[in-house]
């Protein structure tokens, strides 16, 4: 009894295993079998592409597959890429790729051809480091007064500066010999003025100099200067003066252009209509549209105020310095 039942169980177990194994291999076979044609046909990688179950010859660069071949080893119908489209290699693509359009802050290095994509780079004076995302080009840095340029700015790298004047060690030593005493005297003078002022003049700004012993006077001073309103500028030669200052706006950060002109009340469609222009021309044209819009009321002071509201104080200061030092504007007398 036990023997027969053992045998029955064994047989049943064996049958079960066999069925499972069969099912598994069946599944695998089914999987392979369904796509057998696709997997088993091997096309020559760089010359052919697979279409349903035959290998077609690829279409040459500059063309695409208009209709695939019907017999293995043929090339089907290839058609030239449309304007502004390209394929760089032999291919089995059903359409060409669209050529990149250079942005307004870039220039074309290589134009779009049917066999090559457009190549763009930042315009002269602007750059984009290759290891960073480049939504916009950045303005090349200028070396500080006490620095020398060791490498010019290129489309892919910023200007490189090095501390120290180009002169000999002796020259820099003598420069330091002049500057250090001047700076020290200026600091001492400043401290004396601050103390005298603290006692004598009771203007509210005093509070910013030494409000309490804990705070850091230089930072407070900086804060005051940073929040100081801009002096009013008066044009020397009317609208001509204003137009002469347009070029100083070229250094404005790209990220702020749209907001800047929007705040000046220029309509979005007008801003967009100038997108195709070169960076400088774009700024000049949009500033011109602004002058046309506001007429006689147009004033450099308003432009600078908009820059201040956009937190572009440095740009505003540079424009103010350029406008006054080049004789287009003078500071208003109180
Ligand atoms: C074979 O592959 C194609 C796509 O390559 C797929 O649509 C199809 O369902 C596959 N057939 C089977 C039986 O897996
Ligand atoms: C930068 O370029 C200017 C002219 O384009 C050249 O005179 C100067 O020597 C260059 N400077 C360096 C550091 O390569």
């Amino acid at each position: 009894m036990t023997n027969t039942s053992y045998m029955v169980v064994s047989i049943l177990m064996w049958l079960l295993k066999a069925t499972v194994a069969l099912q598994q291999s069946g599944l695998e076979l089914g999987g392979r079998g369904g796509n057998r044609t696709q997997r088993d046909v091997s096309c020559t990688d760089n010359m052919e592409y697979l279409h349903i179950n035959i290998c077609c010859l690829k279409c040459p660069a500059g063309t695409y597959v208009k209709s695939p071949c019907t017999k293995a080893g043929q090339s089907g119908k290839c058609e030239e890429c449309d304007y502004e489209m390209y394929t760089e290699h032999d291919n089995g693509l059903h359409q060409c790729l669209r050529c990149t359009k250079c942005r307004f802050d870039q220039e074309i290095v290589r134009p779009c051809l049917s066999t090559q994509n457009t190549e763009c780079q930042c315009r002269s004076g602007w750059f984009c480091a290759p290891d960073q995302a480049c939504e916009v080009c950045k303005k090349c840095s200028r070396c500080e007064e006490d620095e020398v340029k060791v490498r010019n700015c290129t489309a892919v790298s910023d200007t490189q500066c090095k501390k120290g004047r180009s002169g000999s060690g002796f020259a820099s030593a003598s420069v330091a010999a002049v500057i250090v005493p001047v700076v020290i005297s200026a600091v001492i003078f400043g401290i004396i003025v601050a103390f005298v002022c603290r006692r004598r003049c009771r203007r509210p700004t005093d509070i910013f100099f030494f409000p309490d012993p804990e705070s850091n006077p230089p930072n407070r001073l900086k804060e005051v200067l940073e929040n100081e309103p801009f002096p009013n500028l008066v044009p020397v030669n009317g609208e001509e003066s204003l137009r002469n200052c347009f070029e100083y706006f070229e250094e404005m950060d790209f990220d702020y252009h749209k907001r800047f002109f929007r705040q000046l009340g220029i309509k979005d469609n007008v801003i967009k209509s100038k997108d195709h222009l070169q960076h400088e021309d774009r700024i000049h044209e949009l500033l011109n549209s602004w002058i046309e819009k506001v007429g006689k009321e147009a004033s450099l002071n308003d432009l600078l105020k908009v820059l201040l509201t956009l937190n572009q104080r440095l740009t505003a200061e540079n424009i103010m310095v350029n406008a006054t030092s080049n004789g287009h504007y003078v500071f208003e007398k109180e």
Side-chain angles (χ1 to χ4, degrees):
M1 191 63 190
T2 36
N3 264 354
T4 33
S5 61
Y6 176 77
M7 262 174 68
V8 168
V9 168
S10 304
I11 288 167
L12 275 177
M13 288 287 279
W14 180 85
L15 270 174
L16 198 69
K17 272 186 201 161
T19 336
V20 169
L22 250 177
Q23 265 175 355
Q24 276 173 350
S25 65
L27 273 176
E28 272 169 28
L29 273 172
R32 269 201 202 120
N35 266 335
R36 175 193 298 267
T37 45
Q38 294 238 338
R39 294 209 184 173
D40 292 354
V41 178
S42 64
C43 301
T44 323
D45 237 8
N46 51 359
M47 288 174 62
E48 297 175 320
Y49 63 94
L50 185 66
H51 171 64
I52 309 178
N53 55 4
I54 54 175
C55 293
C56 298
L57 283 181
K58 287 183 175 175
C59 285
T63 68
Y64 68 101
V65 179
K66 174 88 172 174
S67 48
C69 68
T70 46
K71 267 169 103 180
Q74 294 185 337
S75 74
K77 189 159 179 245
C78 303
E79 190 139 305
E80 296 247 323
C81 292
D82 282 336
Y83 180 66
E84 297 284 286
M85 312 270 282
Y86 75 102
T87 48
E88 208 159 290
H89 309 283
D90 292 355
N91 66 88
L93 298 173
H94 292 282
Q95 56 184 19
C96 298
L97 307 169
R98 195 161 291 282
C99 280
T100 307
K101 278 219 156 59
C102 295
R103 295 189 316 257
F104 67 88
D105 59 341
Q106 295 177 318
E107 59 193 3
I108 299 172
V109 184
R110 241 175 36 167
C112 167
L113 297 179
S114 61
T115 52
Q116 68 183 28
N117 193 5
T118 327
E119 212 176 275
C120 313
Q121 71 174 22
C122 293
R123 291 183 184 285
S124 148
W126 302 81
F127 77 100
C128 249
D131 55 341
Q132 288 165 11
C134 184
E135 272 90 34
V136 288
C137 300
K138 299 188 186 82
K139 185 134 178 95
C140 296
S141 313
R142 280 189 212 142
C143 295
E144 300 287 332
E145 294 256 324
D146 61 341
E147 291 177 332
V148 278
K149 196 190 273 184
V150 281
R151 245 187 71 187
N152 280 329
C153 190
T154 70
V156 291
S157 67
D158 195 7
T159 320
Q160 276 180 25
C161 307
K162 212 175 68 183
K163 281 274 175 215
R165 291 190 175 264
S166 42
S168 63
F170 177 74
S172 9
S174 55
V175 166
V178 174
I179 287 178
V180 168
V182 169
V183 169
I184 291 176
S185 346
V187 168
I188 293 173
F189 179 75
I191 290 173
I192 292 171
V193 168
F195 268 96
V196 170
C197 219
R198 194 185 172 206
R199 295 190 171 188
R200 298 248 170 118
C201 27
R202 298 230 166 264
R203 288 189 297 130
T205 43
D206 290 350
I207 203 168
F208 289 107
F209 282 85
F210 299 112
D212 62 66
E214 309 304 327
S215 77
N216 191 350
N219 278 349
R220 285 304 183 115
L221 186 57
K222 195 161 162 259
E223 204 174 290
V224 173
L225 288 177
E226 276 177 0
N227 294 322
E228 194 182 36
F230 258 38
N232 237 1
L233 297 174
V234 182
V236 171
N237 191 15
E239 196 179 295
E240 183 71 28
S241 295
L242 180 55
R243 287 185 193 276
N244 282 332
C245 292
F246 281 6
E247 62 175 300
Y248 309 141
F249 285 83
E250 288 167 14
E251 77 162 71
M252 192 174 19
D253 195 328
F254 270 118
D255 297 349
Y256 290 92
H257 283 183
K258 227 187 197 142
R259 273 182 273 171
F260 176 75
F261 288 111
R262 258 189 208 150
Q263 287 228 23
L264 289 175
I266 311 267
K267 295 221 159 59
D268 275 357
N269 58 349
V270 177
I271 299 177
K272 212 168 161 63
S273 73
K274 312 287 184 203
D275 268 0
H276 64 285
L277 292 176
Q278 288 211 352
H279 170 66
E280 293 82 7
D281 298 340
R282 194 163 166 263
I283 290 200
H284 285 243
E285 291 233 347
L286 286 171
L287 285 172
N288 270 325
S289 340
W290 172 71
I291 287 196
E292 273 166 33
K293 194 164 103 55
V294 292
K296 281 206 159 32
E297 301 291 301
S299 130
L300 184 64
N301 295 310
D302 291 339
L303 296 181
L304 297 184
K305 266 181 213 148
V306 171
L307 283 175
L308 289 185
T309 60
L310 293 174
N311 273 328
Q312 296 297 292
R313 193 176 178 97
L314 192 62
T315 309
E317 279 172 0
N318 285 340
I319 294 171
M320 179 175 73
V321 168
N322 279 322
T324 50
S325 62
N326 292 327
H328 303 308
Y329 278 79
V330 292
F331 290 110
E332 191 177 51
K333 296 203 177 68
E334 303 240 314

